């Protein structure tokens, strides 16, 4: 009966139209726990997003099946630090001014008064645990207070010399021998052990797995899942580049450039290594979820899983992140737990929506400013439209607008791109390269940021 009471109460939290319907008395003091799993540089190459036909992610897929799978979710900025700062502050780059890899949360003046997600939950009675890469720079300085218990690092063992790409950050290979030698897996096991213990007050666990971030080094059994010779390479026709604005050339490439990967005949190796790293990360997710499912908090914990941004593996002849195209901005974003009905949602949503969604699900007040929208309407009804589209920014002055069906990009120099996802999910045909349907363009362009914050630069 107690379990049933929990379920009813959590369903009420999600389904109620206002606080008047919330449970009262002792029941109101009980809050759902949060288990937040974040992955690093994981694009849509999961079974539940269908980004690669051979990828094996059984654990993430199982979580997607039992919860709400936001299949059209996007980051705020497609690079680690700025993406994570935005998620954890609930504020857009156009508010805090971090559009590229760089400033820590605490160094941004606009965030001085903005409580990070974990600090907010802690100040409302939660015990907070965090391990691995959650904020890119960690919970340092004034943010240290946000975390009660440190669960340790993530990643893999470091190597002094490269295996396959000496001298570059892009190494890959079957290393080390066993999962147990990977701090990512050790962190997953530690989290699973924690989840098997009874907690006496609500908890918020943040756990950040580092793979599939480079270097793509994972144990051999993950490489063995994929046949290098027959695996599917991304579609990257040279003709796709002909309708792109010229401003892109050379500006957003990071090492390695696509031509170099092809020339050195390393495309297949890198795709295999990324797939292997994704499956290893999925195994870490499975280890954590096994802990939750076999512990005392399986029924009173909301699980949320996301990746900080996407990743190119040759699409549009690009590698890695930082572009404003689908492969760089689209991410897995899943909610599961008591009262959350299973099924996909195709509305365009932002990782910025995490903060207001979690505060509402847990019946906490919200900080005075959050730029995202609570997704509780879409958790109730997956066809409910989000009231405004998603805005993604990369480098100062460049922005994308993503709706259910469209992507608009406008660069700082005025260059334009427009893609119709109903007909062109790979964004091959830039409808803004010639005469553009102004009505469609304007209906999307009106959402472009009017007065974005200037880029924050540290005084020298
Ligand atoms: Ca990242
Ligand atoms: Ca094209």
């Amino acid at each position: 009966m107690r379990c049933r009471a929990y379920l009813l109460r959590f369903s009420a939290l999600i389904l109620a139209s206002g606080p008047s319907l919330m449970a009262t008395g002792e029941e109101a003091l009980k809050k759902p726990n949060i288990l937040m799993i974040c992955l690093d540089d994981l694009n849509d190459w999961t079974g539940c997003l269908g980004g690669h036909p051979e990828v094996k992610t059984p654990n993430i897929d199982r979580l997607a099946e039992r919860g709400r799978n936001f299949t059209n979710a996007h980051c705020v900025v497609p690079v680690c630090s700025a993406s994570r700062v935005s998620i954890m502050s609930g504020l857009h780059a156009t508010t805090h001014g971090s559009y590229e890899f760089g400033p820590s949360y605490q160094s941004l003046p606009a965030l001085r008064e903005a409580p990070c997600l974990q600090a907010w939950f802690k100040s409302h009675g939660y015990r907070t645990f965090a391990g691995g890469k959650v904020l890119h720079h960690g919970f340092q300085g004034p943010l240290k207070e946000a975390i009660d218990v440190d669960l340790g690092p993530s990643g893999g063992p470091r190597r002094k010399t490269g295996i396959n790409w000496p001298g570059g950050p892009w190494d890959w290979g079957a290393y080390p021998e066993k999962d147990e030698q990977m701090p990512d897996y050790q962190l997953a096991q530690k989290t699973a052990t924690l989840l098997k213990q009874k907690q006496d007050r609500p908890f918020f666990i943040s756990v950040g797995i580092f793979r599939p971030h480079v270097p793509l080094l994972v144990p051999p059994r993950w490489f063995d899942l994929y046949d290098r010779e027959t695996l599917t390479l991304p579609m990257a026709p040279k003709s796709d580049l002909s309708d792109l604005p010229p401003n892109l050339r050379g500006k957003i490439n990071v090492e390695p450039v696509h031509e170099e990967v092809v020339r050195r005949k390393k495309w297949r190796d890198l795709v295999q290594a990324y797939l292997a790293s994704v499956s290893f990360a999925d195994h870490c997710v499975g280890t954590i979820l096994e802990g939750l499912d076999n512990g005392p908090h399986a029924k009173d914990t909301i699980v949320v899983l996301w990746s900080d941004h996407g990743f190119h593996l040759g699409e549009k002849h690009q590698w890695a992140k930082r572009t404003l195209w689908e492969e760089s901005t689209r991410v897995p974003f899943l909610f599961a737990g008591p009262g959350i009905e299973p099924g996909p949602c195709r509305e365009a949503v932002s990782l910025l929506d995490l903060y207001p969604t979690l505060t509402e699900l847990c019946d906490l007040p919200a900080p005075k400013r959050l730029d995202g929208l609570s997704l509780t309407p879409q958790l109730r009804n997956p066809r409910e439209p989000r009231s405004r589209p998603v805005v993604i920014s990369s480098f100062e002055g460049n922005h994308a607008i993503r709706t259910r069906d469209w992507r608009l990009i406008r660069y700082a120099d005025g260059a334009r791109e427009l893609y119709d996802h109903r007909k062109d999910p790979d964004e091959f045909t830039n409808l803004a390269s010639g005469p553009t349907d102004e009505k469609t363009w304007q209906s999307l362009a009106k959402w472009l940021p009017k007065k974005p914050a200037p880029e924050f630069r540290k005084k020298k």
Side-chain angles (χ1 to χ4, degrees):
M1 279 311 286
R2 189 164 180 80
C3 169
R4 185 171 157 72
Y6 262 116
L7 285 170
L8 288 173
R9 184 170 50 78
F10 292 145
S11 300
L13 284 180
I14 292 156
L15 298 172
S17 55
S20 59
L21 295 179
M22 299 296 173
T24 55
E26 192 192 330
E27 283 285 293
L29 296 173
K30 292 174 192 157
K31 302 280 187 190
N33 307 298
I34 304 292
L35 169 61
M36 184 177 85
I37 304 171
C38 34
L39 297 146
D40 204 348
D41 290 17
L42 173 61
N43 60 15
D44 60 3
W45 290 17
T46 62
C48 61
L49 291 181
H52 191 283
E54 288 121 44
V55 71
K56 295 177 180 72
T57 52
N59 298 294
I60 294 173
D61 297 349
R62 255 199 306 279
L63 184 64
E65 273 166 30
R66 75 189 207 202
R68 181 66 80 235
N69 176 12
F70 287 97
T71 60
N72 189 6
H74 301 271
C75 62
V76 179
V77 182
V79 75
C80 304
S81 64
S83 170
R84 290 161 184 259
V85 159
S86 305
I87 295 164
M88 249 61 84
S89 66
L91 297 173
H92 200 280
T94 52
T95 299
H96 60 64
S98 175
Y99 298 96
E100 224 289 84
F101 181 77
S104 64
Y105 192 115
Q106 63 272 22
S107 69
L108 289 161
L111 300 187
R112 233 161 250 157
E113 304 296 320
C116 81
L117 180 60
Q118 291 81 358
W120 190 253
F121 272 75
K122 183 175 168 175
S123 70
H124 289 87
Y126 277 69
R127 179 175 288 131
T128 54
F129 301 81
K133 184 170 163 184
V134 180
L135 274 169
H136 181 84
H137 299 88
F139 293 89
Q140 299 295 327
L143 296 181
K144 256 187 188 163
E145 292 293 308
I147 305 302
D148 292 313
V149 183
D150 180 0
L151 297 175
S154 57
R158 291 178 182 275
R159 285 179 59 92
K160 279 192 182 137
T161 52
I163 298 173
N164 283 298
W165 198 291
W170 278 71
D171 201 19
W172 70 91
Y175 175 84
E177 195 56 38
K178 292 189 164 60
D179 292 338
E180 288 72 15
Q181 295 166 274
M182 298 285 289
D184 267 344
Y185 185 67
Q186 294 161 8
L187 174 62
Q189 285 185 310
K190 200 169 177 180
T191 308
T193 303
L194 173 67
L195 286 163
K196 286 177 185 168
Q197 297 160 4
K198 177 91 182 130
Q199 300 293 326
D200 58 4
R201 61 187 168 104
F203 60 82
F204 189 126
I205 298 176
S206 309
V207 53
I209 301 299
F210 190 62
R211 293 288 182 274
H213 194 290
V214 295
L216 301 171
L217 300 169
V218 289
R221 70 178 179 123
W222 305 106
F223 278 79
D224 294 344
L225 287 179
Y226 301 99
D227 179 5
R228 183 196 174 282
E229 305 312 316
T230 61
L231 57 78
T232 304
L233 291 180
M235 283 194 287
K238 192 115 200 211
S239 58
D240 185 15
L241 307 181
S242 62
D243 57 3
L244 296 180
N247 60 345
L248 297 174
R249 308 274 182 264
K251 196 173 169 188
I252 46 179
N253 264 328
V254 291
E255 189 183 15
V257 296
H258 188 58
E259 290 71 19
E260 188 183 4
V261 172
V262 173
R263 180 167 44 78
R264 291 170 67 159
K265 297 189 168 51
K266 298 300 182 192
W267 198 359
R268 283 194 172 274
D269 301 73
L270 278 162
V271 169
Q272 183 192 27
Y274 187 79
L275 288 166
S277 299
V278 170
S279 288
F280 166 75
D282 176 79
H283 179 58
C284 293
V285 172
T287 302
I288 296 167
L289 295 178
E290 184 272 331
L292 177 67
D293 293 343
N294 292 299
H297 295 291
K299 294 206 160 48
D300 59 9
T301 301
I302 292 168
V303 184
V304 56
L305 178 144
W306 50 264
S307 164
D308 57 355
H309 50 77
F311 201 83
H312 285 264
L313 288 104
E315 302 89 349
K316 282 195 159 38
H317 294 225
Q318 293 287 323
W319 282 80
K321 36 212 177 186
R322 291 181 169 89
T323 80
L324 286 170
W325 294 310
E326 185 82 344
E327 212 51 45
S328 169
T329 74
R330 188 185 185 205
V331 290
F333 193 24
L334 312 171
F335 287 82
I340 296 173
E341 296 295 325
C345 172
R346 284 184 277 279
E347 290 301 314
V349 302
S350 172
L351 293 178
L352 205 53
D353 302 336
L354 178 72
Y355 202 139
T357 305
L358 289 184
T359 53
E360 195 178 345
L361 286 178
C362 298
D363 192 25
L364 303 186
K368 62 181 179 219
R369 176 164 183 181
L370 291 175
D371 289 341
L373 295 169
S374 171
L375 298 175
T376 51
Q378 289 75 28
L379 291 175
R380 280 195 296 265
N381 173 10
R383 280 169 298 283
E384 185 73 25
R386 189 175 179 275
S387 60
R388 56 178 195 261
V390 172
V391 179
I392 307 141
S393 305
S394 186
F395 298 100
E396 189 176 13
N398 308 293
H399 308 285
I401 303 295
R402 187 69 164 87
T403 65
R404 184 176 171 127
D405 296 329
W406 293 90
R407 174 182 300 268
L408 170 151
I409 305 176
R410 197 187 66 192
Y411 296 94
D413 64 358
R416 296 170 159 201
E417 290 178 57
L418 181 65
Y419 298 98
D420 182 349
H421 271 263
R422 292 168 299 185
K423 301 173 190 160
D424 183 21
D426 296 296
E427 299 181 339
F428 285 145
T429 306
N430 175 15
L431 298 170
S433 67
T436 313
D437 174 4
E438 273 307 308
K439 208 172 147 197
T440 304
W441 179 267
Q442 287 305 333
S443 71
L444 297 161
K446 71 177 182 190
W447 299 104
L448 286 164
K450 303 285 184 298
K451 286 185 183 168
E455 182 164 20
F456 171 72
R457 291 182 178 89
K458 265 189 190 162
K459 288 195 182 93
K460 286 181 183 162

